[in-house]
Amino acid sequence: MQAQIRTGWTALAVLCAALIGSHTTATWASTSTSTLTQTNHARLANEAEQLAAQGRFGDAATRYESLAAQAGNTDRDRFILKAARNAQLAGDHAKAQRLLELTGKKLNARDSALHAIVSADLLLRAEQPDRAIAQLDQIPLPLPEEFSAEVLAVRTQALFVAGRIVLAVNTAVERERTLKTESELTQNRRLLWNNLKQAASAGRDLTAPAGANRVTAGWLELAKLFNSGGRDAFAFNRSLSDWRSRYPGHPGSTMLTISSSTASTATHGSQRIGLLLPLSGKQQAAGIAIRDGFLGAALQLPADQRPAIQVFDTNEGGALAAYQRATQNDVQAVVGPLLKEDVEALANTQQVGVLTLALNLISGEQAPPAFMFQFALDPEEEARQVAQRARDEGHSRAIVLTPNNEWGQRVQRAFVAELAAQGGVLVDQRSYDANSRDYVGLSKQLFASRKPPQARALDDALGNKRPMEEVRDDFDYIFIAAQASQAKQLRPALRFVLPDAMTPVYSTSDSYEAETNNSDLEGLRFVDMPWVINRDSTTGALHDQMARLWSAGLRNRSRLYAFGIDAFALINWLQTPQPQLASPLQGATGLLALDQVGRVRRQADWAQIVSGKAQALPNLSTTSTP
């Protein structure tokens, strides 16, 4: 509750800054005083109002105190209350309480309203929201026009803290009728939105009651949607689009106006980016490919919009030292490191002080630091997309072939988990020796008929004809996880054993190498990045440029070049406010979206080998989550 009060207090201070000192000087100068001339009285009151409007609440409180000490009885209470409110906004709650106790017992309607505002806010800070609401309820209706916006702001916050979410939203919506400027409306919606997100994350009931007005219902549904985003970033964006279509013109849309198209202007000119990659040692070639893709993307910008990019070799003293050197050079953002152990070591330091796009994933459920996001070419993510694509094409019973190594186990676990989540069935799973050169025997064993010997004998007795080589019929597709060299042996072995050439066989991008003979993969359906199988004009130009400049060895790492291109686009995109709410970013590696834990999810494209060449397949409408 304390955290919610602190968060709400910041927004309330902004909301009230223009209100607490916004009344005209004539209000306070209407009664002459014995110790101040009318001119000095008006001047000092005007100065106090200006200080409050500038956010200098402490100075405004002091000025109002001075006015109260020299004012007549009619104005004294009002100046004390103004001083108390400004002291409260300045964070000096003890002073606000002391000043509040100096006011008289009989107050007029306007002063009673201000007294109730200060009292309610102090009670709210003391974690007594119900008492704060009761204090506000004592203000006679209709609310004094000059204080109505402030009263409703404090009431909104108190209702949120008390867990009365629907009433809080209704109050915030009602408050908009009292506001006059676009800035005030934006601040009110920000207060409402931040409180709603906190309520959603705390598990509050956000169900709109029967008969709720459209605006309130839309706010509640939007908060529920935002809180349930999970890892499925693309489903989140679909739901967000659906919400927008059902609530056109809703004020909540003003909180969701970020578009990936604005990302390209987020970083330019004098901004400095640190790029941390292994540029020597065993991972040198991978680091160079990513670096060249990153720099190649930067060079597509006009010269006056390019950031200053500083490249650091993580093999020179380690990734943590490279990160420290980058931040000491006043970079505003860091891309890298690349290796999983380096990313995890950086996350464990809890010293990530600038926006950081790590190029690998933290293992398990470890939460990343606040400024760290994660982006990787993850084969497990591709395995999950295989299960989804097979489901979308009407298949549910899978046989899985994976290599007997750690990579194969990871891919197998990801596929099986997604298969189960989609309601599919794992019919059989086998591991194969990645160093083998003959997979026909394995295939015959795996796909041999499961018909019991008694059934075979009965067929023979009845004279039923059976094919010489029977094949099991309890599956409807096959998933193979393989590198290209293994895939080119596994696929022919499967074709040799399976009599039905139409049995679909799926794989990840690792099975496919562009610019090689892929006739052995005939019929294979695989997931891969647009950079490889479905280039548009922009990525096509970059690809052609790379092909001309790179050696054959580096061209074999073409996907890492695309990875670098997208890393550059993402570091810009992540600097937009609330990038989780942006439209997915169409990148060279796929459609990119940010989930609620800071991981960039990648939806790749699909292709099938036809006559030895990769032919792009249409993206199915329901295949939309990584």
Side-chain angles (χ1 to χ4, degrees), residues 7-323:
T7 303
W9 177 254
T10 302
L12 276 172
V14 175
L15 283 167
C16 298
L19 296 169
I20 189 64
S22 62
H23 312 303
T24 62
T25 0
T27 302
W28 314 119
S30 58
T31 303
S32 61
T33 66
S34 58
T35 57
L36 287 174
T37 66
Q38 198 81 332
T39 302
N40 285 339
H41 182 246
R43 179 179 58 80
L44 291 174
N46 185 59
E47 288 176 1
E49 291 170 3
Q50 290 179 356
L51 289 169
Q54 294 166 7
R56 297 170 60 185
F57 302 121
D59 293 338
T62 300
R63 193 63 52 88
Y64 279 124
E65 259 193 298
S66 298
L67 282 166
Q70 303 173 63
N73 292 334
T74 305
D75 289 335
R76 176 180 175 276
D77 284 337
R78 186 165 299 168
F79 286 135
I80 289 175
L81 288 168
K82 295 286 261 183
R85 185 56 169 150
N86 277 277
Q88 194 176 50
L89 291 170
D92 193 344
H93 313 303
K95 181 176 181 178
Q97 182 65 52
R98 176 178 59 79
L99 288 168
L100 200 64
E101 294 169 356
L102 295 177
T103 58
K105 300 300 181 184
K106 294 183 179 180
L107 300 173
N108 61 36
R110 287 187 303 175
D111 290 351
S112 294
L114 187 52
H115 188 283
I117 291 169
V118 179
S119 299
D121 224 337
L122 289 170
L123 288 167
L124 185 56
R125 287 187 167 277
E127 299 188 39
Q128 300 180 57
D130 291 326
R131 289 188 61 193
I133 295 166
Q135 188 73 39
L136 295 171
D137 285 342
Q138 295 179 18
I139 303 174
L141 296 177
L143 295 175
E145 183 178 353
E146 60 191 296
F147 293 122
S148 58
E150 243 184 310
V151 170
L152 294 174
V154 178
R155 180 185 290 277
T156 296
Q157 186 65 26
L159 288 167
F160 269 118
V161 176
R164 298 160 69 178
I165 307 304
V166 175
L167 281 175
V169 176
N170 283 336
T171 302
V173 171
E174 178 187 352
R175 184 176 184 271
E176 293 211 353
R177 299 193 187 99
T178 70
L179 304 177
K180 298 178 176 61
T181 69
E182 196 63 36
S183 175
E184 289 172 344
L185 286 170
T186 299
Q187 291 293 343
N188 187 64
R189 292 166 185 174
R190 186 169 294 140
L191 171 70
L192 172 56
W193 180 232
N194 289 339
N195 275 286
L196 267 176
K197 288 192 294 182
Q198 287 188 14
S201 63
R204 300 284 194 182
D205 183 8
L206 300 181
T207 304
N213 68 68
R214 173 184 165 278
V215 177
T216 296
W219 277 115
L220 293 167
E221 189 173 330
L222 181 61
K224 287 171 66 176
L225 185 160
F226 186 86
N227 192 55
S228 63
R231 75 165 180 83
D232 194 343
F234 297 95
F236 171 76
N237 277 280
R238 284 201 316 278
S239 298
L240 186 59
S241 177
D242 176 65
W243 178 89
R244 284 185 168 119
S245 68
R246 287 184 292 108
Y247 293 99
H250 191 279
S253 296
T254 61
M255 298 291 102
L256 313 174
T257 54
I258 293 98
S259 167
S260 59
S261 63
T262 65
S264 60
T265 61
T267 302
H268 58 83
S270 61
Q271 184 164 19
R272 302 164 73 89
I273 297 175
L275 181 60
L276 278 56
L277 293 167
L279 299 176
S280 57
K282 293 181 179 179
Q283 300 296 328
Q284 177 183 25
I288 290 174
I290 297 168
R291 179 202 64 188
D292 289 357
F294 193 91
L295 297 177
L299 289 172
Q300 304 309 304
L301 293 176
D304 62 344
Q305 293 184 23
R306 294 174 198 154
I309 301 170
Q310 296 178 285
V311 184
F312 300 86
D313 185 355
T314 54
N315 272 355
E316 293 183 0
L320 296 183
Y323 189 89

Side-chain angles (χ1 to χ4, degrees), residues 288-455:
I288 290 174
I290 297 168
R291 179 202 64 188
D292 289 357
F294 193 91
L295 297 177
L299 289 172
Q300 304 309 304
L301 293 176
D304 62 344
Q305 293 184 23
R306 294 174 198 154
I309 301 170
Q310 296 178 285
V311 184
F312 300 86
D313 185 355
T314 54
N315 272 355
E316 293 183 0
L320 296 183
Y323 189 89
Q324 186 176 25
R325 291 199 303 273
T327 54
Q328 287 173 347
N329 283 6
D330 296 325
V331 299
Q332 285 81 48
V334 170
V335 177
L338 174 65
L339 304 183
K340 179 181 284 287
E341 57 267 29
D342 290 340
V343 172
E344 292 181 339
L346 178 60
N348 287 333
T349 66
Q350 294 297 319
Q351 295 179 358
V352 178
V354 299
L355 174 65
T356 300
L357 177 63
L359 300 179
N360 215 312
L361 304 179
I362 300 172
S363 299
E365 299 301 320
Q366 178 185 353
F371 292 104
M372 178 181 280
F373 299 87
Q374 302 165 71
F375 177 44
L377 298 182
D378 185 7
E380 295 164 76
E381 199 161 39
E382 291 188 359
R384 288 189 285 268
Q385 290 185 57
V386 170
Q388 294 156 10
R389 178 80 183 199
R391 173 209 61 194
D392 293 346
E393 293 184 345
H395 309 303
S396 61
R397 300 175 297 160
I399 287 179
V400 180
L401 278 167
T402 56
N404 57 356
N405 54 31
E406 189 270 339
W407 178 84
Q409 292 171 3
R410 285 170 44 211
V411 171
Q412 187 263 350
R413 285 194 297 269
F415 174 82
V416 171
E418 188 64 28
L419 178 69
Q422 300 295 339
V425 178
L426 178 64
V427 174
D428 205 341
Q429 191 275 329
R430 299 293 174 89
S431 296
Y432 64 85
D433 182 359
N435 295 317
S436 174
R437 291 294 179 266
D438 180 14
Y439 296 111
V440 174
L442 171 66
S443 299
K444 284 183 175 181
Q445 180 186 25
L446 178 59
F447 294 102
S449 173
R450 293 315 193 252
K451 183 177 288 188
Q454 297 87 341

Side-chain angles (χ1 to χ4, degrees), residues 557-570:
R557 294 176 175 82
S558 174
R559 291 183 178 93
L560 292 176
Y561 188 92
F563 187 45
I565 292 173
D566 281 359
F568 180 79
L570 283 167

